[in-house]
Amino acid sequence: MLDRRQGLRDRVIFGAVAAVNERGSTMDCVVRNISARGACVELYSAGTLPEEMNLTIARKGRSFLARLIWRQANKVGLAFRIMTSDRPVDDLDERLRRSEIKKRQLQRRINELLGDG
């Protein structure tokens, strides 16, 4: 397959949810690679996807309106049209983010006390 991407993508394994119609139907999926412009997404069944969908990646705290570019077996290539949300999807994401910040602060303090810093 000819690679026509305009930029490099980062290889990742992020859980995501694709909202596939106005009635709120969703499909769980896995993001395999991502860039600022698009992503490769693996789904249980790629045969029933519309040309446009909303892709929410909880770990990144972002949602995108995306256009289907290609499909191959259970994988699809999506081009991001616009970011619809850049805030945490739920409270768990925000608590995890705060916990990671606190951990880094505590680790720095431990290093200072041990004379490593």
Side-chain angles (χ1 to χ4, degrees), residues 103 105-117:
K103 177 186 167 208
Q105 291 169 342
L106 290 171
Q107 187 63 54
R108 278 194 296 268
R109 182 65 180 141
I110 289 169
N111 290 342
E112 287 172 6
L113 292 171
L114 293 174
D116 294 340

Side-chain angles (χ1 to χ4, degrees), residues 13-94:
I13 299 178
F14 291 154
V17 176
V20 295
N21 64 30
E22 293 83 29
R23 295 181 307 218
S25 297
T26 61
M27 297 176 76
D28 290 334
C29 53
V30 176
V31 177
R32 294 294 182 180
N33 65 48
I34 191 168
S35 72
R37 295 180 174 227
C40 174
V41 177
E42 187 173 345
L43 304 117
Y44 175 71
S45 171
T48 58
L49 292 177
E51 292 302 309
E52 285 193 351
M53 68 196 77
N54 191 46
L55 182 70
T56 300
I57 306 169
R59 185 170 182 176
K60 302 234 3 130
R62 295 186 179 146
S63 293
F64 302 91
L65 180 59
R67 183 170 41 93
L68 183 67
I69 300 297
W70 58 265
R71 131 185 11 225
Q72 184 179 53
N74 64 335
K75 290 184 180 178
V76 296
L78 300 176
F80 299 147
R81 293 189 52 213
I82 57 171
M83 186 185 322
T84 58
S85 171
D86 64 352
R87 62 185 187 275
V89 175
D90 60 25
D91 185 50
L92 180 60
D93 288 333
E94 183 58 31

